Amino acid sequence: GALGLISVTVIGVASTAPGYSLAAGIGGIAGEVGNKIPIIMILAFIPMFFIAKAYEKLNSADPDCGTIFTWMTRAVGPRSGFITGWGVIIADLLIMPNLAGISGSYLFKLFGAHGLAESTYWTVLLGAIFIAAMTYVCVVGIELNAKMQVAFLATEIIVLFIFAATAFFRIYTEDIKGSVKPSLSWFNPFDGNLTMSAAVGGVLVAVFAYWGWDTAVAVNEETKDSNKTPGRAAILSTLILLATYVFVSMGAQSFGGAGQLAENADADFNGDAFSAVGEAVFGSSTIGRIMEGLLIISILSSAAASCQTTILPASRSMLSMGSHGALPSKFGSINLRRFTPAYSTIY
């Protein structure tokens, strides 16, 4: 009963790291589909929405923090459930260091230390410190976790919308070289030279941008009205992400053109398509440099928030697996002072 609908929704949205996901993925999408980024974001949303709806129904029937580990075990069998549970844990363990490394890199960039930002040693070291700090927060309590996520997400979403709004304002009030005014054709997959293979490639990259909202369901046993609230939060999370991705991607594409975004594509999701566009959108004035710094902060907070919330589903999956005998029983223990799965969170 520690979390309400708003808190769980914030956790779900923050887990996807919308700022980082856009910065890392929008260039790759542009490289595949050109100026069709908005419709690709919508097409990628459709399967995610149905998956969220399925999670809502499954959670309503069985609100277990193990989510698909528990549901797969009971619906198909223990072997399938065990493999599925490990799939969640491994995915989280793979993405967490990447997000922590991005946080470290952007923290250096924020203070102008670009040499350190490009150093593997220093970004890994600072990333490890980020993981330790986020782990501590997760052990202390879910309430502190939620409060931090509200701060992280508010910063991130506000700056992203200011970025897009500024881009729209400038292209309609100034003659910006390379800019393109929004067009309905951007929402028509059959208008233009968009091939099926390009569309599929774009959707696959866009799906990456939506991944992570399932954390809203992983904290189901810590929410009020646990059989309803997490499922509703999951659906709300996907809808908020859709609105954010379509609006912000339209702003970036309008100002710099799909070509400029594609030039910053990175197959390893370590690129930053917003760097060049953000600098151009906000300009070189004092306010512009402040806003550019805030854009860096939004991506930094995005990666840090996602790193923190990536710990939640992994630890809850391990808690459930320990409770059901799929892992040593110690992983199923709860810290009686903090009321968190401290053992599975740390180890």
Side-chain angles (χ1 to χ4, degrees):
L3 302 174
L5 179 62
I6 294 176
S7 296
V8 181
T9 302
V10 166
I11 288 175
V13 176
S15 296
T16 65
Y20 160 69
S21 297
L22 278 169
I26 195 172
I29 300 172
E32 292 283 351
V33 303
N35 61 8
K36 300 294 185 181
I37 299 175
I39 186 60
I40 292 299
M41 288 297 187
I42 294 172
L43 292 175
F45 160 79
I46 294 171
M48 281 295 174
F49 177 79
F50 283 113
I51 295 169
K53 193 67 180 175
Y55 265 59
E56 180 192 33
K57 295 298 183 182
L58 288 164
N59 180 80
S60 177
D62 184 12
D64 188 295
C65 68
T67 62
I68 56 174
F69 154 71
T70 309
W71 303 332
M72 184 67 79
T73 297
R74 295 180 178 177
V76 181
R79 180 173 297 181
S80 297
F82 182 79
I83 293 172
T84 306
W86 268 113
V88 172
I89 295 168
I90 295 301
D92 290 337
L93 291 177
L94 287 174
I95 195 65
M96 193 192 312
N98 189 33
L99 291 165
I102 293 293
S103 297
S105 176
Y106 271 87
L107 188 60
F108 285 131
K109 287 182 181 180
L110 181 63
F111 292 101
H114 295 282
L116 294 177
E118 295 175 2
S119 167
T120 302
Y121 174 82
W122 286 106
T123 54
V124 167
L125 177 61
L126 193 53
I129 294 173
F130 262 101
I131 290 177
M134 296 301 102
T135 300
Y136 174 76
V137 171
C138 290
V139 169
V140 166
I142 194 69
E143 294 96 336
L144 176 60
N145 225 302
K147 289 176 181 177
M148 286 188 66
Q149 291 304 317
V150 170
F152 280 140
L153 188 63
T155 301
E156 181 181 353
I157 295 295
I158 289 171
V159 173
L160 286 175
F161 272 77
I162 290 175
F163 163 79
T166 303
F168 284 129
F169 177 79
R170 290 196 62 192
I171 65 171
Y172 278 105
T173 58
E174 303 175 33
D175 184 17
I176 306 295
K177 184 179 179 180
S179 67
V180 183
K181 289 183 172 60
S183 169
L184 288 176
S185 65
W186 295 359
F187 295 90
N188 186 355
F190 306 106
D191 179 21
N193 298 318
L194 182 63
T195 64
M196 179 61 72
S197 60
V200 170
V203 168
L204 286 175
V205 179
V207 163
F208 158 81
Y210 282 98
W211 177 62
W213 53 262
D214 53 299
T215 304
V217 187
V219 295
N220 52 19
E221 296 187 40
E222 294 153 278
T223 66
K224 301 171 185 175
D225 202 1
S226 61
N227 64 332
K228 293 181 180 179
T229 300
R232 291 171 178 171
I235 292 174
L236 280 173
S237 297
T238 59
L239 292 171
I240 292 170
L241 289 168
L242 172 65
T244 302
Y245 289 157
V246 171
F247 183 67
V248 177
S249 64
M250 285 180 65
Q253 180 175 290
S254 297
F255 193 90
Q260 184 179 9
L261 295 174
E263 289 174 3
N264 292 279
D266 190 323
D268 296 324
F269 298 111
N270 290 319
D272 180 8
F274 280 166
S275 289
V277 179
E279 184 178 351
V281 167
F282 292 125
S284 58
S285 66
T286 302
I287 295 177
R289 288 196 295 270
I290 292 173
M291 290 307 303
E292 187 182 350
L294 288 176
L295 188 61
I296 292 176
I297 290 174
S298 74
I299 298 173
L300 165 63
S301 65
S302 175
S306 188
C307 176
Q308 179 181 333
T309 50
T310 298
I311 296 172
L312 293 177
S315 61
R316 270 67 182 167
S317 292
M318 294 169 75
L319 170 68
S320 183
M321 293 175 77
S323 299
H324 289 87
L327 286 179
S329 59
K330 186 67 175 176
F331 286 95
S333 63
I334 295 289
N335 184 303
L336 297 181
R337 180 185 173 194
R338 303 293 188 183
F339 294 102
T340 58
Y343 187 88
S344 62
T345 300
I346 294 170
Y347 291 97

